Amino acid sequence: MGSKICMNENCKATTSPEWKRGWGLKSGGFATLCFNCGSSYENLVFCETFHLEEDGWRKCKLCGKRIHCGCIASKDLYDYMDSGGVGCKTCAKGVENCSIRPIEIPIDDVPNGFGTLTTLANLPSSNVDNTRNCNSFDMEQFTRLSNTMEANQPSLFPQCQKGDANASNGLVKHEEKILPAKEVGIGFPNLTQQSVGSSIFANLSNSRPTLGLKDMYESPAQPSLNFTLRTSLGTPNPMPPFPGGVVEGLEQNKVPTFQQGQRTRHISPKPLKTGLNISSEANKRMVSQTRIARPPAEGRGRNQLLPRYWPRITDQELQQLSGDLNSTIVPLFEKVLSASDAGRIGRLVLPKACAEAYFPPISQSEGVPVRIQDIKGKDWTFQFRFWPNNNSRMYVLEGVTPCIQNMQLQAGDTVTFSRIDPGSKLVMGFRKATNVEMQDAQTSSLPNGGHYGEAPFSGVNEDLPNNGGRTSEDLLERPMPILGKKRTRNIGSKSKRLHMHSEDAMELRVTWEESQELLRPHPSAKPTIVMIEDHEFEEFDEPPVFGKRTIFRARASGEQEQWAQCDDCSKWRRLPVDVLLPPKWTCSANIWDSHRCSCSAPDEISPMEVESFFRAGKDSKKRRTTGNKVAQEYEPSGLDALATAAVLGDNVGDQAPKRKGQAQSTCICNVCKTVKRRFKTLMLRKKKRQSEREAEVAQGKDQNHPKDESETDVASGLALLHMNHSENERSPSGVQMEVAETSKGQLDLNSHPNRDEDMLAEPAGLSMTSLVHSPSHQLEMYLQRNGLGNFVSRLVSTAGGESEGRPPDDVRRAAVASEQQDKVDEG
DNA sequence: ACCGTGCATGAGCGC
DNA sequence: CGCTCATGCACGGTT
């Protein structure tokens, strides 16, 4: 029971004494030899409790004793564990009172004869703090990959007392965390962060204070050793996923950080500082929310597989991938897509270690085609190849663009590579990197606040009921908020590199502009009424929230109308133009039309018409984001144009047919009103600032001030300007909209009118806030300089009859051209 | 001019 | 200091 079997199928040595620990490796692992056949392999599992000294000895971090890993004679100082690793005897004495016994699966019970050290138990969650997870890794994988495979278990924790019933083989020298049978059967490499922590330290519970999960989670350098030795049921001695694979072992010497891009330098656990009893409740909570990084199941490459590539796929996701319980999904690795990966080049850079571990070995740069199945079951063929890079290689998957596009992946999203057994078929899943904030909010209640902001794995409902009630597994799997204070993942493994291209920024800009339609005042916001030039404006201190998107259009008669889509039936309902809808809105809330206050009521607008709305918007958006801006039309929704018209009309009174204070625009949508309102507020503040500046000028301090930067980029902010409204217009709400847009189309959505640093730091080329900075007459001057007087006149005069509230094309072009001219001026 | 390919470069990180 | 890898970029082929 619990013996280790030599992976050399010609050997079949089965008992612990037949294994001896070898020498300490540079990497901190061990080499292990089979006494029987001499098979050796590198145990890639790090010694977690021993620090490798320069002289080759290891020093127990807990008691300070030094051992030499390859020195059998020093056994009086340490003890080998059947499951692998070395335990300091001194420390082990402290854990003799293990209260929880693991349920072991005798290796004899395993069909293929390869033992599993997986221990099964249904420990109550309250015992989690006293349990430790077996270091386990996928035996199956090892059996497949080499005759010289490592079944070595890296339990380098101080082990339980030698007098233990299983002391002879050391198998149960420590309590092992229960792994659900399901996982054993399915064969997931089951390393969980939580288990890691507990496995490392729980055995110290009697000798020193127990490290709480919380502490562990907050300690990024906590070791993560929780492997499951298991077998591949029904697939004895399977072949490696690709020919030629030689398992050098799996390096477990890295601590999963559970945060992409967060690298840890040390594998060894940090010395325990405090003892905290694990709160099972807290544990549960953490468990339920977090995906954990799984150490790769195997790897023939000796290269370290950085934790950042450890798959954080959940079992549910795995199950979804596999489709049925008859398949075993072996998570291999994952990668956050870089801009290059997700770009049009179609090359996905593979981490070298992953490529060498899980992809077929290639000697020619041309590589080989690799078939990978996506989560939908669709097969993709990529060219797996490499480039010489210095003295190394750089592995890439070529031809991934169709797949990336099919999955609608972008930079920052994560692709996961797994393998389905039997069959050794590669599958790739993905996780979108969206909803970070949402997830953050959802998980912010975690005791330590740790969580990732990740969207659920593709197509996987995280809330799926657990098969077989994987409570303990959950405990193991989920709570890995080691992230602790790092709340968000970097987009990309190297944060430095993910730049937003100007095109992307443009896309974002458009998106933002469109998002104006969604802005609503914060529910708790109380407006402050500000009077500006006889206008009454609402000012909000709270940032806006998003409401439901609606469509504004103008009838032939010039009458504006607003349309919204029911969230239930998707039918479009006409609404009053001044209505602001909540994010969720259904027909039942249509209090303005008694005939269409139910989803059963027919559509008032044909689908064709609706489609035409969006098509027009899309076309225009494309034009805006691809190329010649001069030739581009203006804002598809007409919002910006109308807003522009409003502002122009408001500030270029002489040139607008209607003077300020009068209703110049027929668009009285709340967005326009809100924008205008905000603009006016900002203008007011600007005036105040200008007054202060003038005072400075009077003191001769401002003589060298260059032209106000905002003066040069008014036009670029046209799209963000605001429409005028009649003095009678008064929206029931308002929003704050602070927008800083760089000259390259980048946005700073965080700027705040009250924060001078934001405004002052704003690069030239921006619009709204910079415009606000300038005196109102600067806008006027600018408009005149750019010949926008006619623009204003035309726009205002035609806005009423313009279809869908859009200005005529020439007007839009004039605005864009003006913007271009402005850029030229800046240049 | 555009695009694909292959290599070079260098920041970041681990040892 | 060396390695990894994201990205730049030169070069050649294609449109």
Side-chain angles (χ1 to χ4, degrees), chain A residues 174-192:
Chain A
H174 53 266
E175 302 161 353
E176 297 183 294
K177 180 60 185 177
I178 313 82
L179 294 173
K182 166 196 164 194
E183 287 217 345
V184 175
I186 294 177
F188 297 154
N190 233 350
L191 185 143
T192 69

Short mmCIF file of all heavy atoms in Angstrom, two decimals, chain A residues 174-192:
data_model
loop_
_atom_site.label_atom_id
_atom_site.label_comp_id
_atom_site.label_asym_id
_atom_site.label_seq_id
_atom_site.Cartn_x
_atom_site.Cartn_y
_atom_site.Cartn_z
N HIS A 174 2.15 12.09 6.11
CA HIS A 174 1.45 13.33 6.34
C HIS A 174 0.02 13.13 5.92
O HIS A 174 -0.32 12.30 5.10
CB HIS A 174 2.07 14.47 5.57
CG HIS A 174 2.21 14.18 4.13
ND1 HIS A 174 3.38 13.68 3.60
CD2 HIS A 174 1.33 14.26 3.11
CE1 HIS A 174 3.22 13.50 2.30
NE2 HIS A 174 1.99 13.85 1.98
N GLU A 175 -0.77 13.88 6.52
CA GLU A 175 -2.16 13.80 6.15
C GLU A 175 -2.28 14.39 4.77
O GLU A 175 -1.66 15.36 4.42
CB GLU A 175 -2.99 14.62 7.13
CG GLU A 175 -2.78 14.14 8.53
CD GLU A 175 -3.20 15.20 9.50
OE1 GLU A 175 -3.50 16.30 9.07
OE2 GLU A 175 -3.20 14.90 10.68
N GLU A 176 -3.10 13.75 4.06
CA GLU A 176 -3.23 14.22 2.71
C GLU A 176 -4.63 14.68 2.45
O GLU A 176 -5.60 14.09 2.91
CB GLU A 176 -2.83 13.13 1.73
CG GLU A 176 -1.39 12.77 1.93
CD GLU A 176 -0.97 11.74 0.93
OE1 GLU A 176 -1.46 10.64 1.01
OE2 GLU A 176 -0.15 12.07 0.08
N LYS A 177 -4.65 15.68 1.74
CA LYS A 177 -5.95 16.25 1.44
C LYS A 177 -6.70 15.32 0.51
O LYS A 177 -6.16 14.73 -0.39
CB LYS A 177 -5.78 17.61 0.78
CG LYS A 177 -7.08 18.26 0.44
CD LYS A 177 -7.88 18.48 1.68
CE LYS A 177 -9.25 19.02 1.32
NZ LYS A 177 -10.09 19.18 2.48
N ILE A 178 -7.90 15.28 0.77
CA ILE A 178 -8.74 14.41 0.00
C ILE A 178 -8.92 14.95 -1.40
O ILE A 178 -9.27 16.08 -1.61
CB ILE A 178 -10.12 14.37 0.62
CG1 ILE A 178 -9.93 14.17 2.09
CG2 ILE A 178 -10.99 13.38 0.02
CD1 ILE A 178 -9.64 15.39 2.79
N LEU A 179 -8.78 14.09 -2.27
CA LEU A 179 -9.09 14.45 -3.64
C LEU A 179 -10.27 13.63 -4.07
O LEU A 179 -10.32 12.44 -3.87
CB LEU A 179 -7.89 14.18 -4.54
CG LEU A 179 -6.73 15.07 -4.22
CD1 LEU A 179 -5.53 14.64 -5.03
CD2 LEU A 179 -7.06 16.52 -4.46
N PRO A 180 -11.18 14.23 -4.64
CA PRO A 180 -12.39 13.52 -5.00
C PRO A 180 -12.09 12.39 -5.97
O PRO A 180 -11.23 12.50 -6.83
CB PRO A 180 -13.24 14.59 -5.69
CG PRO A 180 -12.58 15.88 -5.40
CD PRO A 180 -11.18 15.60 -5.02
N ALA A 181 -12.85 11.38 -5.77
CA ALA A 181 -12.65 10.24 -6.66
C ALA A 181 -12.85 10.64 -8.09
O ALA A 181 -12.23 10.10 -8.99
CB ALA A 181 -13.62 9.13 -6.28
N LYS A 182 -13.72 11.56 -8.26
CA LYS A 182 -13.99 12.00 -9.62
C LYS A 182 -12.71 12.46 -10.29
O LYS A 182 -12.41 12.13 -11.41
CB LYS A 182 -14.99 13.14 -9.60
CG LYS A 182 -15.09 13.86 -10.91
CD LYS A 182 -15.78 15.17 -10.70
CE LYS A 182 -15.55 16.08 -11.90
NZ LYS A 182 -15.90 17.43 -11.61
N GLU A 183 -11.98 13.17 -9.54
CA GLU A 183 -10.78 13.68 -10.15
C GLU A 183 -9.78 12.58 -10.37
O GLU A 183 -9.07 12.58 -11.35
CB GLU A 183 -10.17 14.75 -9.26
CG GLU A 183 -10.95 16.01 -9.28
CD GLU A 183 -10.03 17.17 -9.23
OE1 GLU A 183 -8.87 16.97 -8.90
OE2 GLU A 183 -10.47 18.27 -9.56
N VAL A 184 -9.78 11.70 -9.47
CA VAL A 184 -8.86 10.60 -9.67
C VAL A 184 -9.22 9.84 -10.92
O VAL A 184 -8.38 9.52 -11.75
CB VAL A 184 -8.90 9.66 -8.46
CG1 VAL A 184 -8.03 8.46 -8.70
CG2 VAL A 184 -8.48 10.42 -7.22
N GLY A 185 -10.48 9.61 -11.04
CA GLY A 185 -10.89 8.85 -12.19
C GLY A 185 -10.65 9.60 -13.49
O GLY A 185 -10.23 9.03 -14.47
N ILE A 186 -10.92 10.82 -13.42
CA ILE A 186 -10.78 11.59 -14.64
C ILE A 186 -9.32 11.88 -14.92
O ILE A 186 -8.90 12.01 -16.05
CB ILE A 186 -11.57 12.90 -14.53
CG1 ILE A 186 -13.04 12.56 -14.47
CG2 ILE A 186 -11.29 13.81 -15.68
CD1 ILE A 186 -13.93 13.75 -14.28
N GLY A 187 -8.63 11.92 -13.88
CA GLY A 187 -7.22 12.06 -14.10
C GLY A 187 -6.74 13.49 -14.20
O GLY A 187 -5.75 13.76 -14.82
N PHE A 188 -7.42 14.36 -13.60
CA PHE A 188 -6.94 15.72 -13.62
C PHE A 188 -5.73 15.85 -12.72
O PHE A 188 -5.73 15.38 -11.61
CB PHE A 188 -8.00 16.68 -13.11
CG PHE A 188 -9.20 16.70 -13.96
CD1 PHE A 188 -10.41 17.04 -13.45
CD2 PHE A 188 -9.13 16.35 -15.29
CE1 PHE A 188 -11.53 17.07 -14.23
CE2 PHE A 188 -10.25 16.37 -16.08
CZ PHE A 188 -11.46 16.72 -15.55
N PRO A 189 -4.80 16.46 -13.20
CA PRO A 189 -3.73 16.80 -12.30
C PRO A 189 -4.26 17.83 -11.34
O PRO A 189 -4.74 18.85 -11.74
CB PRO A 189 -2.66 17.38 -13.20
CG PRO A 189 -3.34 17.71 -14.46
CD PRO A 189 -4.60 16.93 -14.53
N ASN A 190 -4.17 17.50 -10.18
CA ASN A 190 -4.97 18.21 -9.23
C ASN A 190 -4.16 19.03 -8.28
O ASN A 190 -4.15 18.79 -7.11
CB ASN A 190 -5.75 17.19 -8.44
CG ASN A 190 -7.16 17.54 -8.47
OD1 ASN A 190 -7.49 18.61 -8.92
ND2 ASN A 190 -7.99 16.66 -8.02
N LEU A 191 -3.54 19.92 -8.78
CA LEU A 191 -2.81 20.74 -7.86
C LEU A 191 -3.61 21.98 -7.57
O LEU A 191 -4.02 22.69 -8.44
CB LEU A 191 -1.48 21.13 -8.46
CG LEU A 191 -0.65 21.89 -7.46
CD1 LEU A 191 0.79 21.50 -7.65
CD2 LEU A 191 -0.84 23.35 -7.59
N THR A 192 -3.81 22.17 -6.40
CA THR A 192 -4.56 23.35 -6.06
C THR A 192 -3.75 24.23 -5.15
O THR A 192 -2.98 23.78 -4.33
CB THR A 192 -5.85 22.99 -5.34
OG1 THR A 192 -5.50 22.48 -4.07
CG2 THR A 192 -6.63 21.98 -6.12
#
